[in-house]
Amino acid sequence: MESITKFDRTPTMSTYLVAYVVGEYDYIETKDSNGISMRVYTPLGKKEHGNFALDLASKVLPFYAEYFNIKYPIAKADQIAIPDFASRAMENWGLITYREIALLIDPKSSSLTVRQRNAMTISHELAHQWFGNLVTMDWWTDLWLNEGFARWIQYLAVDRFYPEWDVWTQYVADVFSQFLVLDALKSSHPIEVPIGHPSEIDGIFDTISYAKGSSVIRMLHDYIGDDAFRKGLHNYLKDYSYKNTVTFNLWSHLAKASGKPLIEVMSSWTLQMGYPLVTVYEEQQSNKTRIIKLTQQRFIADGSSDDENLQWTIPITIFTKSNPKSIAKEILMDKPEITITLENISEDDWIKLNYNSIGLYRVKYEPKTLARLNEPIANKILSPQDRLMIQDDVAALCNAGHQSFVDYLKLLLSYKDEDNFTVWKSIASTIGNLSSLLEYTDYFDQFKKYRLNLCSSIQNRIGWDATTNENPLVAMLRPIILTLMGKSGDQAIIDEAKNRFQQHINGNLIDPNIRPAVYVVVSHYGDENTQEELQKLYKAADMNEEKVRLLTAMGQSLNPASIEKTLQFVFEGDNVRMQDAYIGIAGCASSRVGRDIVWKFLQKNWTKLVERFGESSVFLIYFVESCLSNFADEKLVSEIESFFHSANTSTVTLAVKQVIETIQMRSNVLKRDSKAIEEYLSQQ
Ligand SMILES: [Zn+2]
């Protein structure tokens, strides 16, 4: 039988946004409040897994139409799940494609974390339907604006419909602090980069473009206010509808709407790499005034000084103990050094810079100034954003040698009664980095005891099981704490995890929110039988989300044979889709013993991997970053350098540079601080 399909005429659009999908799918459909037809296509038999996405998208689409004050430009807004997909999602106009895990939600076995992540991705792609599709950047140089904007506004949309998730706090831990790590490397790049060859394009879809780009937008939005921002944005989108444009045009529209000198302020953030470290010196005067001197210099991860002497125009905010919920001083710092006078401030009052961590800078305080912050951290007077960034900044300063890691370990004790999910997520990340370093010392067990002491109070409070009507953030906090405690050797937690895992195999399923923690803990201490059980579960799982949970845990074993088996499982046969392989190998490289095995594996199989994944594949970059960054031995630097020199895979050149810089930094930290940390831990 033959049939003819006629398509409507498409509007003027960029070719990279055209998509066709051919295949057998089920779908569900609705119309949004403006009458736009919306469908979610799912694999056959999984219609109900599309409900979450359809419901959210039908609310977010009219929200954007109202926010931009521009109607959704075309007649339909469809979304579809693709079985094996290199990206997480792609914003094709009217037919957004996703990995299954990024779109589908099983009401019975999807975790809150995945729901939240999907809400983010869906809101991101829908924002592109205007910002990116209706108005398209002229050239790849401005890619960061496209992605940075969508990454920012996705938080605005999700916050609107799920205020209980407190996503703006999570933004600071997940996006802002991530950019601060990468952009501190000497091998970083400005977010506006000239692109002359197609091979240079893939490399700029990186954390710096997305995370710094959106942090710049967040700072800008705060600087000019929502009204001016929306007005300028509307005019920009109207003026360039169905056309191409450049970053400058957005700045000039926003400058006009706000009356503020944007172009001067923004260029220091977009045209040069890096960001400043603001150092605070203070001197108390007799008449309740305090003189604050601020200096700026580029913050470089390994503490080396900035030869180029880069300078930024920084919107600085300061607030103090007497009025902790409002800004005492706001000033645009456009010089290497400025002096500010604070009135009405008592001798022992704390001060803090960067209210709610919106400005793109790290802060270094003198020891007495930092010590005063222990109190508002412990009694939670400071916002979660500020609490988490204080320890994040101090950890970075320790890595750079501005401070000793003993200072960091002392500071963390102020967080013993912390109960905020996002603050803990951030601590788990900084402490995870330190753990992967101290793994290379012979006092690692003592450090595990320190970790147990740090999280015992929160673990006692939240336990294993969800209570009725529990705050969703507590449900997301639980697996973080259980994993941290389990990996630190808490025997009761290890036993309970094993017990629950056994029951799970027998059909008494574990709550999906804590399942990742149980899988990781049993895998960590498990033998080859555990490994087999995990693989069996993997093969039986018909949801990508469940497979990813299992794959994440599988390689996190301390048993070399299990790690080898995981690598085989991931790369041989067709057990694991290509899109998920990096998740499996990253798990294997998460321990000292696994890292060595993975590095040997990569060297032996690199040519095959390049062939299979393609020589410009972003997965090669993921392999390099996630498998090699956590070494701490300088000997590895020359090994890695010479291997990739002869491998000659240009896609990973930047990633290799970043990895090498990171390893050198870590090795220096050990040389510098290891003795002092050992001494401190032995006194605990
Ligand atoms: Zn995007």
Side-chain angles (χ1 to χ4, degrees):
M1 201 182 81
E2 196 177 280
S3 71
I4 296 176
T5 304
K6 279 200 165 176
F7 292 89
D8 282 349
R9 176 173 288 274
T10 47
T12 308
M13 65 191 281
S14 291
T15 49
Y16 79 98
L17 295 168
V18 179
Y20 297 88
V21 176
V22 179
E24 279 190 85
Y25 280 91
D26 275 340
Y27 68 85
I28 49 172
E29 64 183 334
T30 188
K31 281 191 189 321
D32 83 350
S33 57
N34 296 319
I36 304 294
S37 146
M38 306 186 79
R39 285 182 180 177
V40 170
Y41 290 88
T42 71
L44 294 177
K46 288 188 179 170
K47 259 190 204 179
E48 77 280 11
H49 293 187
N51 285 332
F52 176 83
L54 188 65
D55 177 56
L56 178 74
S58 69
K59 289 187 279 197
V60 170
L61 205 68
F63 167 71
Y64 284 149
E66 195 203 323
Y67 191 83
F68 300 134
N69 193 16
I70 295 177
K71 277 188 195 150
Y72 179 72
I74 52 180
K76 72 171 183 95
D78 293 342
Q79 308 180 84
I80 185 164
I82 304 284
D84 202 345
F85 190 19
S87 310
R88 189 168 154 82
M90 174 63 209
E91 68 265 25
N92 317 296
W93 217 357
L95 180 57
I96 304 172
T97 44
Y98 297 84
R99 286 186 180 197
E100 288 176 4
I101 193 177
L103 185 69
L104 306 178
I105 291 296
D106 178 342
K108 287 191 297 294
S109 61
S110 283
S111 69
L112 270 162
T113 307
V114 167
R115 272 166 220 260
Q116 187 185 287
R117 226 183 271 155
N118 292 6
M120 284 289 170
T121 306
I122 291 163
S123 303
H124 178 104
E125 304 307 330
L126 290 173
H128 276 315
Q129 307 301 305
W130 285 263
F131 204 105
N133 298 7
L134 178 62
V135 173
T136 305
M137 303 322 295
D138 203 30
W139 189 237
W140 300 97
T141 301
D142 289 314
L143 170 92
W144 76 270
L145 181 61
N146 205 18
E147 292 309 338
F149 179 84
R151 173 70 55 97
W152 172 79
I153 204 169
Q154 71 188 54
Y155 281 82
L156 194 75
V158 174
D159 188 51
R160 167 72 170 261
F161 298 107
Y162 291 96
E164 67 276 23
W165 287 348
D166 188 20
V167 291
W168 280 118
T169 299
Q170 296 188 53
Y171 178 93
V172 177
D174 295 343
V175 183
F176 181 71
S177 81
Q178 199 191 14
F179 123 70
L180 291 173
V181 170
L182 274 176
D183 204 23
L185 296 176
K186 284 176 279 192
S187 48
S188 184
H189 62 79
I191 49 179
E192 264 191 71
V193 275
I195 294 288
H197 189 272
S199 68
E200 295 164 19
I201 295 169
D202 274 341
I204 56 168
F205 278 88
D206 67 357
T207 303
I208 296 171
S209 301
Y210 280 66
K212 185 179 188 179
S214 79
S215 299
V216 165
I217 302 286
R218 176 169 168 261
M219 179 169 76
L220 173 67
H221 177 264
D222 184 75
Y223 179 59
I224 68 174
D226 193 55
D227 288 346
F229 188 83
R230 281 177 72 167
K231 194 171 150 209
L233 187 60
H234 167 80
N235 293 337
Y236 166 83
L237 290 172
K238 264 278 176 251
D239 274 12
Y240 298 99
S241 285
Y242 307 102
K243 291 188 196 128
N244 295 93
T245 179
V246 292
T247 301
F248 178 84
N249 293 332
L250 178 61
W251 291 170
S252 59
H253 273 296
L254 293 174
K256 220 176 181 179
S258 67
K260 289 200 175 180
L262 280 197
I263 292 155
E264 296 81 347
V265 177
M266 296 317 286
S267 60
S268 67
W269 301 102
T270 63
L271 296 177
Q272 58 190 20
M273 69 162 128
Y275 60 86
L277 172 67
V278 174
T279 306
V280 184
Y281 305 91
E282 48 171 2
E283 199 182 303
Q284 182 75 19
Q285 310 293 91
S286 53
N287 52 350
K288 287 194 88 180
T289 59
R290 203 180 289 177
I291 310 289
I292 315 282
K293 190 180 92 177
L294 306 179
T295 63
Q296 61 157 308
Q297 63 182 114
R298 183 181 174 204
F299 177 72
I300 297 182
D302 67 3
S304 48
S305 58
D306 173 27
D307 302 334
E308 294 173 73
N309 198 20
L310 298 177
Q311 294 286 306
W312 287 263
T313 305
I314 319 169
I316 298 269
T317 52
I318 305 182
F319 61 114
T320 70
K321 180 179 179 177
S322 60
N323 207 347
K325 300 289 173 208
S326 71
I327 294 166
K329 269 269 192 278
E330 206 167 353
I331 189 164
L332 204 56
M333 180 173 182
D334 53 2
K335 297 189 197 68
E337 185 181 316
I338 56 170
T339 304
I340 298 165
T341 307
L342 292 179
E343 316 276 345
N344 245 325
I345 181 161
S346 304
E347 182 86 43
D348 290 327
D349 284 6
W350 56 261
I351 64 158
K352 190 189 170 297
L353 268 70
N354 208 0
Y355 186 72
N356 281 346
S357 304
I358 285 168
L360 274 66
Y361 54 98
R362 290 198 187 275
V363 186
K364 181 185 172 190
Y365 300 101
E366 295 171 284
K368 60 169 193 251
T369 315
L370 182 62
R372 287 197 195 108
L373 290 172
N374 288 335
E375 183 201 321
I377 290 170
N379 62 23
K380 304 184 194 106
I381 291 286
L382 295 174
S383 69
Q385 289 95 315
D386 284 333
R387 301 206 293 276
L388 76 89
M389 275 314 297
I390 290 173
Q391 61 87 36
D392 190 274
D393 275 350
V394 170
L397 288 165
C398 295
N399 274 320
H402 290 277
Q403 278 177 265
S404 156
F405 258 108
V406 173
D407 296 345
Y408 169 77
L409 294 175
K410 285 181 185 163
L411 171 72
L412 267 197
L413 297 179
S414 313
Y415 294 79
K416 272 194 78 172
D417 287 320
E418 184 58 63
D419 54 6
N420 182 281
F421 157 68
T422 312
V423 178
W424 270 114
K425 184 158 63 162
S426 172
I427 291 174
S429 157
T430 40
I431 216 170
N433 286 333
L434 183 59
S435 299
S436 68
L437 191 62
L438 298 186
E439 252 187 313
Y440 290 91
T441 69
D442 48 21
Y443 55 86
F444 186 46
D445 282 342
Q446 255 165 307
F447 183 59
K448 287 191 197 159
K449 280 190 203 133
Y450 171 93
R451 293 195 313 211
L452 286 177
N453 172 38
L454 187 67
C455 16
S456 58
S457 144
I458 185 71
Q459 158 59 16
N460 284 334
R461 239 179 303 166
I462 62 177
W464 275 89
D465 296 304
T467 53
T468 28
N469 297 327
E470 180 173 80
N471 180 329
L473 296 175
V474 175
M476 288 195 262
L477 171 59
R478 193 170 284 116
I480 293 178
I481 299 298
L482 289 174
T483 307
L484 206 54
M485 301 275 296
K487 279 194 151 186
S488 300
D490 184 294
Q491 199 53 48
I493 296 221
I494 297 167
D495 292 343
E496 181 62 16
K498 286 183 176 166
N499 174 26
R500 288 185 185 227
F501 184 65
Q502 205 47 52
Q503 291 185 34
H504 182 70
I505 291 170
N506 298 335
N508 182 9
L509 298 185
I510 303 168
D511 168 5
N513 288 317
I514 60 166
R515 225 179 276 176
V518 172
Y519 289 164
V520 165
V521 173
V522 295
S523 169
H524 196 63
Y525 298 100
D527 53 18
E528 282 154 83
N529 291 332
T530 323
Q531 190 65 18
E532 251 164 55
E533 295 292 356
L534 290 168
Q535 293 188 2
K536 255 194 244 162
L537 288 172
Y538 187 94
K539 286 179 183 157
D542 75 335
M543 243 183 91
N544 192 222
E545 177 185 339
E546 175 67 4
K547 283 186 191 287
V548 165
R549 274 196 285 260
L550 288 155
L551 198 57
T552 306
M554 245 180 237
Q556 297 198 35
S557 172
L558 293 176
N559 172 0
S562 299
I563 298 169
E564 300 271 8
K565 278 210 167 142
T566 301
L567 286 172
Q568 270 172 24
F569 183 79
V570 171
F571 289 100
E572 286 170 20
D574 55 1
N575 301 310
V576 176
R577 292 176 188 170
M578 275 169 70
Q579 63 169 20
D580 294 329
Y582 74 98
I583 297 165
I585 198 172
C588 293
S590 68
S591 66
R592 180 179 174 173
V593 45
R595 218 163 286 136
D596 290 336
I597 295 172
V598 166
W599 173 224
K600 282 203 189 89
F601 173 88
L602 279 184
Q603 294 174 86
K604 202 172 145 212
N605 296 285
W606 187 253
T607 320
K608 266 196 259 169
L609 292 173
V610 173
E611 249 165 51
R612 178 165 173 213
F613 286 84
E615 63 181 347
S616 62
S617 165
V618 67
F619 290 115
L620 299 177
I621 297 175
Y622 295 167
F623 294 156
V624 168
E625 283 173 353
S626 63
C627 299
L628 307 178
S629 296
N630 281 338
F631 279 115
D633 184 346
E634 234 165 327
K635 266 183 264 158
L636 261 298
V637 168
S638 49
E639 229 178 279
I640 291 171
E641 242 168 4
S642 75
F643 175 78
F644 284 104
H645 182 75
S646 48
N648 198 17
T649 317
S650 66
T651 307
V652 299
T653 307
L654 180 61
V656 169
K657 262 195 213 161
Q658 290 171 338
V659 159
I660 283 172
E661 209 182 319
T662 306
I663 299 174
Q664 269 161 343
M665 175 190 84
R666 287 162 56 84
S667 145
N668 287 335
V669 173
L670 272 189
K671 278 186 217 150
R672 204 169 45 224
D673 287 353
S674 186
K675 263 235 124 14
I677 298 173
E678 181 175 17
E679 241 172 71
Y680 172 77
L681 290 175
S682 70
Q683 289 156 8
Q684 294 307 295

Short mmCIF file of all heavy atoms in Angstrom, two decimals, residues 115-137:
data_model
loop_
_atom_site.label_atom_id
_atom_site.label_comp_id
_atom_site.label_asym_id
_atom_site.label_seq_id
_atom_site.Cartn_x
_atom_site.Cartn_y
_atom_site.Cartn_z
N ARG A 115 13.29 12.79 37.98
CA ARG A 115 12.16 13.69 37.66
C ARG A 115 12.65 15.12 37.55
O ARG A 115 12.31 15.85 36.62
CB ARG A 115 11.12 13.66 38.78
CG ARG A 115 10.08 12.60 38.65
CD ARG A 115 9.33 12.45 39.97
NE ARG A 115 9.09 11.04 40.18
CZ ARG A 115 7.93 10.44 39.93
NH1 ARG A 115 6.90 11.15 39.53
NH2 ARG A 115 7.81 9.14 40.09
N GLN A 116 13.45 15.51 38.53
CA GLN A 116 13.91 16.88 38.57
C GLN A 116 14.82 17.18 37.38
O GLN A 116 14.71 18.21 36.72
CB GLN A 116 14.66 17.10 39.87
CG GLN A 116 15.03 18.54 40.09
CD GLN A 116 15.87 18.71 41.33
OE1 GLN A 116 15.38 18.63 42.45
NE2 GLN A 116 17.14 18.94 41.12
N ARG A 117 15.72 16.25 37.09
CA ARG A 117 16.64 16.45 35.98
C ARG A 117 15.87 16.55 34.66
O ARG A 117 16.18 17.36 33.80
CB ARG A 117 17.63 15.29 35.93
CG ARG A 117 19.06 15.76 35.75
CD ARG A 117 20.00 14.59 35.64
NE ARG A 117 20.50 14.17 36.94
CZ ARG A 117 20.94 12.93 37.20
NH1 ARG A 117 20.91 11.99 36.27
NH2 ARG A 117 21.40 12.63 38.38
N ASN A 118 14.83 15.72 34.52
CA ASN A 118 14.04 15.76 33.29
C ASN A 118 13.27 17.06 33.16
O ASN A 118 13.16 17.63 32.08
CB ASN A 118 13.10 14.57 33.21
CG ASN A 118 13.86 13.27 33.04
OD1 ASN A 118 15.09 13.27 33.08
ND2 ASN A 118 13.15 12.18 32.84
N ALA A 119 12.73 17.53 34.29
CA ALA A 119 12.02 18.81 34.25
C ALA A 119 12.97 19.90 33.75
O ALA A 119 12.59 20.77 32.97
CB ALA A 119 11.50 19.15 35.64
N MET A 120 14.23 19.82 34.19
CA MET A 120 15.25 20.78 33.76
C MET A 120 15.49 20.68 32.26
O MET A 120 15.53 21.68 31.55
CB MET A 120 16.58 20.48 34.47
CG MET A 120 16.61 20.92 35.90
SD MET A 120 16.67 22.71 35.98
CE MET A 120 16.39 22.93 37.71
N THR A 121 15.69 19.46 31.77
CA THR A 121 16.01 19.27 30.36
C THR A 121 14.84 19.71 29.47
O THR A 121 15.03 20.40 28.47
CB THR A 121 16.35 17.79 30.09
OG1 THR A 121 17.38 17.40 30.99
CG2 THR A 121 16.84 17.59 28.67
N ILE A 122 13.63 19.31 29.86
CA ILE A 122 12.45 19.67 29.07
C ILE A 122 12.31 21.20 29.01
O ILE A 122 12.10 21.78 27.95
CB ILE A 122 11.19 19.01 29.68
CG1 ILE A 122 11.26 17.49 29.47
CG2 ILE A 122 9.92 19.59 29.08
CD1 ILE A 122 10.32 16.69 30.36
N SER A 123 12.49 21.85 30.15
CA SER A 123 12.36 23.31 30.18
C SER A 123 13.47 23.97 29.37
O SER A 123 13.27 25.03 28.76
CB SER A 123 12.42 23.83 31.62
OG SER A 123 11.41 23.22 32.39
N HIS A 124 14.63 23.36 29.36
CA HIS A 124 15.76 23.87 28.58
C HIS A 124 15.44 23.83 27.08
O HIS A 124 15.56 24.83 26.37
CB HIS A 124 17.00 23.02 28.88
CG HIS A 124 18.23 23.39 28.12
ND1 HIS A 124 19.28 24.07 28.69
CD2 HIS A 124 18.60 23.17 26.83
CE1 HIS A 124 20.22 24.26 27.80
NE2 HIS A 124 19.85 23.72 26.65
N GLU A 125 14.99 22.68 26.62
CA GLU A 125 14.75 22.51 25.18
C GLU A 125 13.57 23.38 24.73
O GLU A 125 13.60 23.93 23.62
CB GLU A 125 14.48 21.04 24.85
CG GLU A 125 15.60 20.07 25.27
CD GLU A 125 16.98 20.46 24.78
OE1 GLU A 125 17.07 21.08 23.70
OE2 GLU A 125 17.98 20.15 25.47
N LEU A 126 12.56 23.51 25.57
CA LEU A 126 11.42 24.35 25.19
C LEU A 126 11.83 25.82 25.08
O LEU A 126 11.35 26.55 24.22
CB LEU A 126 10.27 24.18 26.19
CG LEU A 126 9.55 22.81 26.14
CD1 LEU A 126 8.55 22.69 27.28
CD2 LEU A 126 8.85 22.59 24.79
N ALA A 127 12.75 26.26 25.93
CA ALA A 127 13.21 27.66 25.86
C ALA A 127 13.90 27.92 24.52
O ALA A 127 13.78 29.00 23.93
CB ALA A 127 14.17 27.95 27.01
N HIS A 128 14.63 26.92 24.02
CA HIS A 128 15.30 27.07 22.72
C HIS A 128 14.31 27.30 21.58
O HIS A 128 14.70 27.79 20.53
CB HIS A 128 16.10 25.81 22.39
CG HIS A 128 17.47 25.76 23.01
ND1 HIS A 128 18.33 26.84 23.01
CD2 HIS A 128 18.15 24.75 23.60
CE1 HIS A 128 19.47 26.48 23.60
NE2 HIS A 128 19.38 25.22 23.98
N GLN A 129 13.05 26.89 21.74
CA GLN A 129 12.10 27.06 20.65
C GLN A 129 11.98 28.55 20.28
O GLN A 129 11.69 28.89 19.15
CB GLN A 129 10.72 26.49 21.02
CG GLN A 129 10.75 25.02 21.50
CD GLN A 129 11.34 24.06 20.48
OE1 GLN A 129 10.89 24.00 19.34
NE2 GLN A 129 12.36 23.31 20.87
N TRP A 130 12.22 29.42 21.28
CA TRP A 130 12.30 30.86 21.00
C TRP A 130 13.77 31.27 20.86
O TRP A 130 14.18 31.78 19.85
CB TRP A 130 11.69 31.67 22.17
CG TRP A 130 10.20 31.67 22.26
CD1 TRP A 130 9.36 32.63 21.78
CD2 TRP A 130 9.37 30.69 22.90
NE1 TRP A 130 8.06 32.32 22.08
CE2 TRP A 130 8.03 31.14 22.76
CE3 TRP A 130 9.60 29.49 23.56
CZ2 TRP A 130 6.94 30.43 23.28
CZ3 TRP A 130 8.53 28.78 24.07
CH2 TRP A 130 7.21 29.25 23.92
N PHE A 131 14.50 31.04 21.95
CA PHE A 131 15.88 31.53 22.04
C PHE A 131 16.81 30.50 21.40
O PHE A 131 17.25 29.55 22.05
CB PHE A 131 16.25 31.74 23.51
CG PHE A 131 17.36 32.73 23.71
CD1 PHE A 131 17.08 34.01 24.18
CD2 PHE A 131 18.66 32.40 23.42
CE1 PHE A 131 18.10 34.92 24.36
CE2 PHE A 131 19.68 33.31 23.61
CZ PHE A 131 19.40 34.57 24.08
N GLY A 132 17.07 30.64 20.13
CA GLY A 132 17.87 29.64 19.42
C GLY A 132 17.20 29.27 18.11
O GLY A 132 17.84 29.23 17.07
N ASN A 133 15.87 29.02 18.18
CA ASN A 133 15.16 28.60 16.97
C ASN A 133 14.48 29.77 16.26
O ASN A 133 14.70 29.98 15.07
CB ASN A 133 14.13 27.53 17.32
CG ASN A 133 14.76 26.27 17.91
OD1 ASN A 133 15.96 26.26 18.18
ND2 ASN A 133 13.98 25.23 18.11
N LEU A 134 13.67 30.51 17.00
CA LEU A 134 13.04 31.70 16.40
C LEU A 134 14.12 32.74 16.09
O LEU A 134 14.10 33.38 15.05
CB LEU A 134 12.01 32.27 17.39
CG LEU A 134 11.28 33.54 16.96
CD1 LEU A 134 10.45 33.29 15.70
CD2 LEU A 134 10.39 34.06 18.09
N VAL A 135 15.05 32.89 17.02
CA VAL A 135 16.20 33.78 16.83
C VAL A 135 17.45 32.91 16.95
O VAL A 135 17.65 32.25 17.96
CB VAL A 135 16.23 34.88 17.91
CG1 VAL A 135 17.51 35.68 17.83
CG2 VAL A 135 15.02 35.78 17.78
N THR A 136 18.25 32.86 15.90
CA THR A 136 19.40 31.96 15.89
C THR A 136 20.70 32.76 15.87
O THR A 136 20.77 33.81 15.25
CB THR A 136 19.34 31.04 14.64
OG1 THR A 136 18.09 30.37 14.62
CG2 THR A 136 20.45 30.01 14.67
N MET A 137 21.69 32.24 16.59
CA MET A 137 22.98 32.91 16.60
C MET A 137 23.59 32.86 15.20
O MET A 137 23.39 31.93 14.45
CB MET A 137 23.94 32.26 17.60
CG MET A 137 23.45 32.18 19.05
SD MET A 137 22.53 33.59 19.68
CE MET A 137 23.77 34.87 19.64
#
